[in-house]
């Protein structure tokens, strides 16, 4: 509906002006004047101002205080910037009075292994339906929180039989603001640009946010991709809250481009095969009733396009794998107070608030009408999951845990947070013909979360073959594919941990794994005569090194593996801390660091090694205390910058200084030993830095600094006549004879013999490789280089994009990690065959000495979404061991 139609409808009802809503509009509403509206509490009507996080919380606190029998406010966490995360639940007085009992009963229904059919039937008959409305996971998607306030007001104030009937058998949970840090960033910047009046021009400053925009959280994470790895506190808090409530219907309310209308379920193809038929049927129910109400209001909408249900890391996907129904709603965004659409109509903020509100009401109505079926389907999903897990082709997953203990602890904790039962074997055992040691991790698949287990732990979740064939056809016609996100996300692959899949249940004594991601480490021989060794190879050792350096300890690290006279073999990178190099409080400090980091530390009474370098060898380097800088701001991709900083600051607790490119020109970087360059999203560093800034980078490296480029930031290193890295980007491989470029309007005749040859003629001579949406690629590691210390022989990397780089010659540098052969490259997901062949053997990590410094290129993001944990040690080695291998004057 256009602004004019909306205005006419609302004006006819006498409810609001053209640009705001005194109260939300819904037929037959009869509002109780004792319930205070947004305008009465905050001083402005709905849609008249974009509310700050504090104002939103103020309104919900006022409602909860004034109407405690109908609404409760429940805190569930804090953002990085310590803003509160909370939800409210609204229902009839009867339901709110027994809210704890209802939630406990939903938890019982969610565990059918402990229920009889009679017990389940009684629960289904007694329980209300439940809807969870989640707003603004992206902070610059501004209308959903206002719509959440509108919804809460309506449910509490409306005295009509219609609303009373909804609340009679339905609980409504509202998470009004999932990303308060991002919203705060957006709101403050938006109003800083507004002049005498708000502009509807899409080119205006208020419609174009500065870097980084408000979409992301404090660490610049897109939290709508974080529901797999649970890296952010906001996501972790929500996942915990949802497992206390188990809502039957989950709505993730978003915004999209201002010209697009409104989107709701059913989703676009492809669907994840672990989404069950009755869930897809429920999505149809919800979509049809939404359409019914949108027709009544004259609102346009679309379904089954763009937004798919394949990737499980969306907010609108995760609840599906617990048996709920989950959907994305997307409204065209005014991204301010008003927005001129391509057709000339003006879309107002108030329009978008109202449309979300109607969608929310329609959804609640569907849940109310379908309550028994939704409850039955939820129970049946989880009951069937247990059966499928006990009879299917994969009935258990076993992690031998023979290396990277810290990685296994973290992964098992993350799975536990997902609601998956993980056991740690207390004794040796055999399963499916293999022997396993005590300490192995076991996941039996016969759990209510079976489909989530399969989705997270299988190497590949298969994509529909007809859908892939359609994408190949689109690609042949130079059309973009319709794959919305990455095609692989296997946690064992991304953590680079070995896992065995068994077609039988494992029977062994286990202890339950908790959600603690770091367990206390240990020190053997705590007061040794010589010092201590910390084996390198996992994040526990890296955390230890970070903390030790910050406490001023002197650490050495061996470039080569060695065998100590105690008989133990230590991998390359292992840390050596001697009593002689450190103070008298060393033993106490080591004990504290081991406890906090999770590292395993061994005290040694002698420095003697029976094989490998002695501790005074040139192959044993002292790790310097370093200062780390990172380029920050345009043209950096905020996601790349955020995850790169997050890994260092939050996984290692080591500070990073962010420097804008404009400040780099002529800057004195002598205070820093490492400079990280994130990938770009648009523009180039060459333009942002200018010749002066690029000269500063070269001088930094030549004097002994370490320059680390992530992803396509490698283009900065290879640019110019005297590049810092002697590699080149590759064009797409073109088969057959190259076309000749002729200046004349006529060219020599040719014969095209078959369709394949015709397709080659369509490819430009210098085209980029086709875009790869994202697969997990296998890569081979050079074990003899200092950068790969403690890293296993193969690693797995997410591969996204179309950048392919030539290998370095041996005269220029080292390709320390290279993609595997075409046959072995694909570890998980889907990749076009031509890309697969071209990527094979190309470098993933390159190192080149320049002057006294080191240049390191990761041609793919090692920190992608911070969930490719198996790549993190390479990144950490580049930082800390890279600084040890540079040669500045110290």
């Amino acid at each position: 509906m256009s602004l004019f139609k909306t205005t006419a409808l609302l004006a006819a009802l006498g409810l609001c002006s053209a640009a705001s809503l005194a109260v939300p509009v819904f037929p037959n509403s009869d509002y109780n004047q004792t319930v205070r509206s947004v305008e009465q509490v905050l001083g402005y009507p709905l849609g008249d101002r974009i509310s700050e996080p504090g104002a939103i919380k103020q309104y919900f606190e006022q409602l909860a205080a004034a109407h405690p029998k109908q609404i409760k406010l429940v805190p569930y966490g804090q953002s990085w910037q310590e803003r509160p995360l909370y939800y409210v639940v609204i229902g009839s007085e009867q339901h709110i009075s027994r809210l704890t009992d209802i939630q406990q009963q939903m938890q019982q229904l969610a565990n059918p292994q402990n229920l009889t059919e009679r017990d389940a039937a009684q629960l289904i008959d007694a329980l209300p339906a439940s809807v969870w409305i989640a707003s603004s996971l992206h902070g610059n998607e501004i209308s959903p929180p206002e719509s959440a306030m509108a919804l809460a007001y309506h449910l509490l104030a409306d005295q009509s039989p219609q609303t009373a009937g909804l609340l009679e058998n339905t609980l409504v949970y509202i998470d009004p603001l999932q990303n308060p840090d991002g919203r705060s960033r957006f709101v403050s910047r938006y109003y800083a640009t507004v002049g005498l009046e708000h502009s509807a021009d899409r080119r205006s400053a208020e419609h174009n946010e500065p870097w980084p925009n408000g979409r992301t959280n404090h660490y610049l994470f897109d939290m709508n991709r974080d529901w797999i790895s649970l890296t952010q506190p906001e996501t972790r808090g929500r996942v915990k809250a949802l497992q206390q409530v188990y809502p039957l219907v989950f709505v993730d309310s978003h915004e999209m481009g201002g010209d697009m209308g409104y989107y709701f379920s059913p989703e676009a193809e492809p669907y994840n095969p672990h989404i069950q038929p009755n869930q897809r049927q429920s999505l149809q129910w919800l979509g049809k009733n939404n359409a019914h109400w949108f027709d009544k209001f004259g609102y346009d909408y679309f379904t089954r396009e763009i937004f798919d249900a394949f990737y499980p890391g969306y907010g609108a996907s995760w609840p599906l794998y617990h048996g709920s129904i989950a959907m994305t709603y997307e409204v065209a965004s005014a991204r301010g107070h008003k927005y001129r659409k391509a057709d000339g109509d003006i879309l107002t903020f108030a329009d978008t608030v109202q449309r979300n509100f109607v969608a929310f009401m329609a959804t609640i109505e569907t849940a109310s009408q379908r309550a028994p079926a939704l409850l039955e389907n939820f129970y049946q999903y989880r009951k069937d999951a247990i059966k499928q897990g006990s009879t299917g082709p994969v009935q258990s997953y076993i992690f031998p845990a023979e290396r990277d203990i810290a990685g296994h602890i973290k992964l098992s904790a993350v799975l536990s947070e997902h609601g998956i039962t993980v056991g740690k074997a207390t004794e040796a055992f055999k399963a499916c013909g293999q022997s396993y040691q005590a300490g192995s991790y076991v996941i039996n698949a016969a759990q209510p979360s079976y489909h989530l287990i399969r989705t997270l732990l299988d190497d590949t979740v298969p994509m529909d073959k007809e859908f892939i064939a359609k994408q190949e056809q689109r690609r042949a016609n130079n059309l973009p594919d319709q794959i919305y996100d990455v095609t692989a996300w296997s946690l064992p692959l991304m953590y680079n941990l070995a896992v065995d899949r068994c077609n039988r249940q494992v029977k062994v004594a286990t202890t339950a794994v908790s959600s603690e991601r770091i367990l206390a480490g240990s020190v053997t021989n705590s007061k040794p005569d010589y010092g201590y060794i910390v084996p390198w190879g996992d994040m526990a050792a890296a955390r230890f090194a970070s903390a030790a350096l910050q406490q001023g300890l002197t650490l050495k690290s061996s470039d080569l593996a060695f065998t100590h006279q105690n008989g133990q073999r230590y991998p390359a990178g292992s840390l050596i801390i001697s009593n002689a190099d450190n103070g008298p409080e060393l033993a106490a400090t080591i004990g504290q660091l081991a406890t906090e980091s999770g590292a395993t530390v061994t005290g040694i009474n002698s420095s003697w090694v029976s094989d490998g370098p002695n501790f005074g060898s040139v192959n044993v380097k002292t790790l310097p205390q370093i200062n780390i800088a990172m380029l920050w701001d345009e043209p950096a991709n905020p996601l790349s910058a955020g995850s790169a900083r997050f890994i260092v600051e939050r996984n290692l607790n080591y500070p990073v200084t962010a420097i804008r490119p404009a400040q780099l020109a002529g800057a004195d970087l002598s205070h820093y030993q490492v400079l990280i360059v994130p990938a770009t999203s648009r523009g180039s560093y060459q333009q942002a830095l200018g010749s002066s800034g690029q000269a500063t980078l070269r001088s930094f490296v030549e004097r002994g600094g370490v320059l680390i480029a992530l992803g396509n930031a490698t283009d900065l290193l290879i640019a110019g006549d005297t590049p810092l890295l002697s590699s080149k980007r590759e064009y797409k491989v073109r088969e057959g004879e190259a076309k000749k470029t002729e200046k004349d309007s006529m060219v020599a005749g040719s014969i095209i013999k078959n369709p394949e040859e015709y397709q080659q003629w369509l490819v430009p001579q210098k085209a980029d490789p086709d875009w790869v949406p994202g697969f997990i690629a296998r890569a081979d590691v050079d074990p003899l280089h200092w950068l790969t210390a403690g890293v296993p022989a193969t690693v797995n990397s997410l591969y996204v994009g179309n950048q392919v780089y030539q290998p370095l010659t041996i005269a220029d540098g080292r390709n320390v990690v290279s993609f595997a052969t075409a046959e072995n490259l694909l570890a998980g997901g889907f990749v076009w065959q031509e890309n697969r062949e071209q990527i094979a053997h190309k470098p993933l990590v390159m190192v080149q000495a320049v002057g006294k410094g080191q240049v390191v290129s990761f041609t793919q993001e090692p920190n992608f979404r911070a969930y490719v944990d198996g790549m993190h040690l390479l990144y950490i080695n580049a930082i800390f061991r890279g600084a040890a291998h540079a040669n500045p004057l110290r």
Side-chain angles (χ1 to χ4, degrees):
M1 181 184 289
S2 71
L3 167 66
F4 307 106
K5 291 180 181 178
T6 301
T7 302
L9 170 64
L10 303 182
L13 294 172
L15 294 174
C16 72
S17 66
S20 62
L21 295 161
V23 292
V25 180
F26 209 72
N28 304 315
S29 298
D30 177 17
Y31 289 127
N32 184 335
Q33 298 303 309
T34 63
V35 179
R36 298 177 70 193
S37 68
V38 168
E39 184 173 12
Q40 289 171 318
V41 175
L42 302 182
Y44 51 86
L46 282 164
D48 196 58
R49 183 174 179 83
I50 305 166
S51 300
E52 297 176 350
I56 296 167
K57 187 164 189 287
Q58 179 186 348
Y59 185 67
F60 281 103
E61 285 178 329
Q62 185 276 328
L63 291 180
H67 309 281
K69 294 182 179 180
Q70 295 170 273
I71 177 173
K72 289 194 177 296
L73 188 150
V74 182
Y76 69 79
Q78 279 190 332
S79 70
W80 283 116
Q81 295 176 12
E82 299 185 347
R83 291 187 173 89
L85 302 169
Y86 58 94
Y87 65 84
V88 297
V89 54
I90 300 173
S92 66
E93 290 188 13
Q94 178 187 6
H95 287 150
I96 295 299
S97 68
R98 52 184 298 267
L99 185 62
T100 300
D101 290 340
I102 290 172
Q103 292 179 353
Q104 289 175 348
Q105 288 170 351
M106 275 303 299
Q107 291 172 23
Q108 292 173 6
L109 195 66
N111 288 279
Q113 67 274 25
N114 301 324
L115 290 175
T116 65
E117 287 296 317
R118 180 180 178 184
D119 291 338
Q122 290 175 343
L123 287 172
I124 290 168
D125 185 58
L127 282 166
S130 51
V131 177
W132 184 293
I133 309 288
S135 298
S136 289
L137 193 57
H138 297 142
N140 60 357
E141 296 175 1
I142 54 178
S143 62
E146 316 290 333
S147 305
M149 291 191 287
L151 177 66
Y153 171 80
H154 177 85
L155 293 175
L156 293 171
D158 183 26
Q159 303 172 96
S160 71
Q162 177 178 269
T163 296
L166 296 180
L167 295 180
E168 191 65 31
N169 74 335
T170 307
L171 283 170
V172 180
Y173 294 85
I174 302 173
D175 184 346
L177 185 54
Q178 300 182 86
N179 182 3
D181 295 351
R183 186 177 181 91
S184 178
R185 187 188 314 138
F186 174 87
V187 172
S188 64
R189 290 173 166 186
Y190 175 80
Y191 285 112
T193 67
V194 174
L196 180 62
E197 63 180 24
H198 295 274
S199 174
D201 189 342
R202 66 182 69 201
R203 291 173 290 272
S204 65
E206 59 204 79
H207 286 288
N208 292 277
E209 303 170 67
W211 192 100
N213 63 29
R215 178 182 178 89
T216 53
N217 75 343
H218 172 76
Y219 268 103
L220 309 188
F221 274 67
D222 182 342
M223 292 191 290
N224 203 30
R225 305 296 186 274
D226 191 48
W227 293 70
I228 290 173
S229 50
L230 312 183
T231 68
Q232 301 304 292
E234 298 94 333
T235 316
R236 297 177 71 181
R238 270 188 288 281
V239 161
K240 184 176 181 180
L242 287 169
Q243 290 178 82
Q244 293 168 347
V245 171
Y246 286 111
L248 297 175
V249 176
F250 181 96
V251 175
D252 200 12
S253 184
H254 288 263
E255 291 188 336
M256 57 186 172
D259 296 314
M260 296 185 71
Y262 205 103
Y263 166 86
F264 47 74
S265 61
E267 280 70 22
E269 296 288 347
Y271 276 77
N272 190 301
H274 289 289
I275 298 172
Q276 300 302 290
N278 62 9
Q279 292 177 302
R280 296 186 65 168
Q281 180 188 45
S282 298
L283 292 170
Q284 292 282 339
W285 295 342
L286 288 151
K288 286 180 179 179
N289 198 44
N290 286 358
H292 165 75
W293 281 103
F294 270 52
D295 288 348
K296 277 183 174 293
F297 277 83
Y299 296 156
D300 291 333
Y301 65 89
F302 67 95
T303 67
R304 298 186 300 274
E305 295 179 53
I306 304 175
F307 306 103
D308 69 22
F310 186 69
Y311 176 68
Y314 308 130
S317 293
W318 186 88
L320 285 162
Y321 304 98
H322 284 277
S324 301
I325 309 304
M327 306 158 291
T328 294
Y329 288 179
E330 301 266 355
V331 65
S333 178
R335 202 69 93 221
H337 282 229
K338 55 185 178 180
Y339 178 83
R340 181 177 291 105
K341 299 168 62 175
D343 62 8
D345 273 0
I346 300 296
L347 176 69
T348 70
F349 182 38
D351 289 333
T352 61
V353 173
Q354 169 67 17
R355 294 179 196 210
N356 288 328
F357 166 71
V358 172
F360 297 166
M361 286 298 298
T363 302
I364 295 166
E365 182 180 73
T366 305
S368 175
Q369 293 171 347
R370 301 279 188 172
L374 290 170
L375 284 159
E376 176 65 35
N377 288 349
F378 174 81
Y379 167 72
Q380 202 62 45
Y381 175 101
R382 295 179 72 85
K383 179 184 174 185
D384 291 347
I386 296 171
K387 182 178 180 180
Q388 290 169 294
S390 62
T391 59
V394 179
Q395 296 182 28
S396 58
Y397 296 80
I398 307 165
F399 292 83
E402 294 174 348
R403 50 164 291 275
D404 193 358
I405 300 304
H408 283 88
I409 291 170
K410 180 182 176 183
L411 176 56
S412 61
V414 169
L415 295 174
S416 178
E417 286 184 81
H418 276 295
I420 296 169
T421 300
V422 183
K424 187 175 182 180
T426 57
E427 59 190 11
F429 64 97
K430 289 186 176 181
C432 284
Q434 299 292 322
S435 297
Y436 297 94
Q437 63 185 3
S440 299
Y441 292 85
V442 176
I443 301 170
N444 281 317
Q447 301 185 36
S449 53
Y450 164 77
H451 293 290
L452 182 63
I453 293 170
R454 293 291 308 274
T455 298
L456 296 181
L457 299 186
D458 286 358
D459 289 347
T460 296
V461 174
M463 194 177 285
D464 182 71
K465 291 181 179 179
E466 290 185 8
F467 175 79
I468 291 175
K470 181 180 177 182
Q471 304 317 302
E472 291 283 12
Q473 186 177 27
R474 290 179 62 86
R475 198 164 62 99
N477 287 286
N478 199 31
L479 295 173
D481 68 69
Q482 297 168 315
I483 301 173
Y484 194 73
D485 208 275
V486 297
T487 66
W489 50 79
S490 166
L491 290 179
L493 287 177
M494 294 197 299
Y495 276 66
N496 208 26
L497 301 178
V499 60
D500 295 330
R501 297 168 180 87
C502 182
N503 60 3
R504 293 189 292 277
Q505 297 284 301
V506 175
K507 296 182 179 179
V508 62
T510 62
T511 56
V513 168
S514 75
S515 59
E516 291 297 321
R517 299 187 181 188
I518 300 174
L519 301 181
S522 63
V523 181
T524 302
N525 186 18
S526 60
K527 294 184 178 180
D529 294 338
Y530 177 80
Y532 305 87
I533 299 176
V534 181
W536 196 246
D538 65 11
M539 288 299 291
R543 288 190 293 265
F544 182 98
S546 170
L549 288 171
Q550 291 180 80
Q551 291 206 24
L553 298 190
T554 297
L555 306 179
K556 295 179 179 179
S557 177
S558 177
D559 287 345
L560 303 174
F562 61 90
T563 302
H564 187 258
Q565 72 171 14
N566 64 11
Q568 185 170 344
R569 184 73 174 172
Y570 292 94
S574 293
L575 305 175
I576 301 136
I577 309 106
S578 70
N579 295 332
D581 287 337
N582 294 282
E585 302 300 320
L586 180 62
T589 302
I590 292 291
Q592 174 195 353
L593 295 180
T595 298
E596 295 174 353
S597 67
T600 300
V601 184
T602 302
I604 54 174
N605 295 321
S606 168
S607 65
W608 186 252
V609 298
S610 58
D611 180 64
N614 294 105
F615 299 161
S617 166
V618 294
N619 290 306
V620 176
K621 306 290 185 183
T622 299
L623 296 182
Q625 296 182 28
I626 62 174
N627 294 312
I628 304 170
M630 175 182 292
L631 288 189
W632 197 256
D633 210 332
E634 295 279 8
N637 183 329
L639 303 179
S640 174
S643 61
R645 189 176 189 179
F646 172 82
I647 295 300
V648 179
E649 289 197 338
R650 295 300 173 174
N651 284 8
L652 295 185
N653 296 313
Y654 206 95
V656 174
T657 299
I659 299 177
R660 303 185 196 280
Q663 273 67 58
L664 206 64
D668 179 7
L669 296 179
S670 60
H671 179 63
Y672 298 97
Q673 290 72 44
V674 176
L675 177 61
I676 300 167
V677 186
T680 63
S681 54
R682 57 186 178 183
S684 72
Y685 283 114
Q686 295 93 300
Q687 182 179 10
L689 293 169
S691 58
S692 178
Q694 292 178 72
T696 299
L697 287 185
R698 179 174 289 278
S699 175
F700 167 76
V701 177
E702 289 177 343
R703 290 198 314 238
V706 180
L707 184 63
I708 302 171
L710 307 179
N712 65 9
T714 299
D715 290 351
L716 172 64
L717 306 183
I718 64 176
D721 296 331
T722 55
L724 291 168
L725 186 72
S726 302
S727 179
K728 297 288 184 183
R729 277 271 300 275
E730 292 189 354
Y731 292 116
K732 181 176 182 177
V733 174
R734 188 181 186 282
E735 299 177 2
E737 182 181 355
K739 293 181 289 185
K740 294 181 180 180
T741 302
E742 300 280 359
K743 294 183 178 180
D744 296 335
S745 60
M746 294 188 67
V747 299
S750 63
I751 297 173
I752 300 176
K753 299 176 182 178
N754 52 55
E756 290 75 18
E757 191 171 313
Y758 169 72
Q759 289 297 330
Q760 287 301 317
W761 270 87
L762 300 182
V763 178
Q765 282 185 276
K766 293 185 176 181
D768 287 335
D770 287 347
W771 185 268
V772 175
F775 73 102
I776 298 177
R778 190 174 287 112
D780 299 321
V781 174
D782 176 355
L784 301 179
H785 196 272
W786 57 260
L787 196 146
T788 63
V791 177
T794 61
V795 295
N796 300 311
S797 169
L798 249 296
Y799 192 106
V800 179
N802 61 357
Q803 291 83 31
V804 180
Y805 295 89
Q806 289 183 343
L808 296 175
T809 68
I810 196 68
D812 292 320
R814 296 281 289 278
N815 308 292
V816 296
V817 185
S818 299
F819 290 110
T821 64
E823 294 76 15
N824 295 325
L825 178 70
L826 181 62
F830 174 79
V831 61
W832 317 117
Q833 182 61 28
E834 298 93 331
N835 294 77
R836 181 173 181 165
E837 293 172 357
Q838 186 172 357
I839 293 166
H841 301 294
K842 301 297 165 54
L844 173 57
V845 185
M846 295 181 277
V847 182
Q848 183 168 329
V850 177
K852 295 179 179 180
Q854 300 284 344
V855 173
V856 180
S857 160
F858 289 85
T859 63
Q860 287 289 315
E861 290 270 9
N863 312 307
F864 185 81
R865 297 176 180 169
Y867 62 24
V868 192
D869 283 56
M871 289 290 293
H872 292 171
L873 192 61
L874 283 165
Y875 177 56
I876 292 162
N877 281 349
I879 295 170
F880 291 96
R881 305 201 83 249
H885 279 266
N887 296 296
L889 293 176
R890 300 192 191 275

